[in-house]
Structure formats: C-alpha cells, structure tokens
Amino acid sequence: ETDMSATCNMHIRKVMDLAGQLIALADEGEEKAQHDSCIVLYGIVRDCAYRIRQEAEREREKHVTAGTWNES
C-alpha cells in the first residue's frame, strides 16, 4: 500500500464515520424535534448521510478490487 493509498483509505474511513455521525444526529434530532420543519431538516440530513455512505462504500470496494485497501 502506497502512502497515497493509505491517505485515501483514511479519508474514505473518515467519510464513512462522518456519515454515521450524521445519521445518529438525525435520529436524535428527530426524536426531540418540536416543529415539522425540524423533522424535514433531519430527514434531509439522514438522506444525504446515507448517500454519502453509499458512495464511500462504492469507493472502498474499488480500492478492495484494486488491492489497495487495508482493513486496519
């Protein structure tokens, strides 16, 4: 694994972590929302987070296929 691959893999992991944090935030926010507009906001956050995570997973699979992904 090259330094560039390691850095890219680290960024993909961070993106996946951030997407997970956004999903958790949306879940928590929605539970405590007092206005419909807040529920809409958290729905948008959740949808975007799932899309971000999906794209990061696709990119990770490309790295796995190329042999540049390190699970650690």
Side-chain angles (χ1 to χ4, degrees):
E1 179 178 45
T2 66
D3 286 341
M4 186 176 278
S5 292
T7 300
C8 191
N9 290 344
M10 178 185 66
H11 290 157
I12 293 168
R13 286 185 182 93
K14 284 183 178 181
V15 167
M16 293 172 73
D17 183 53
L18 288 169
Q21 290 178 46
L22 284 170
I23 292 166
L25 176 65
D27 290 345
E28 182 181 335
E30 193 173 73
E31 286 177 15
K32 297 177 180 172
Q34 296 179 348
H35 302 99
D36 290 345
S37 58
C38 287
I39 292 171
V40 170
L41 170 64
Y42 294 123
I44 292 168
V45 170
R46 182 181 297 106
D47 288 349
C48 291
Y50 279 122
R51 176 72 192 271
I52 290 167
R53 186 174 70 182
Q54 180 183 37
E55 291 302 320
E57 288 172 350
R58 283 184 188 153
E59 194 60 31
R60 179 185 62 193
E61 287 305 311
K62 289 177 186 176
H63 286 237
V64 168
T65 301
T68 60
W69 186 260
N70 183 347
E71 285 299 327
S72 57

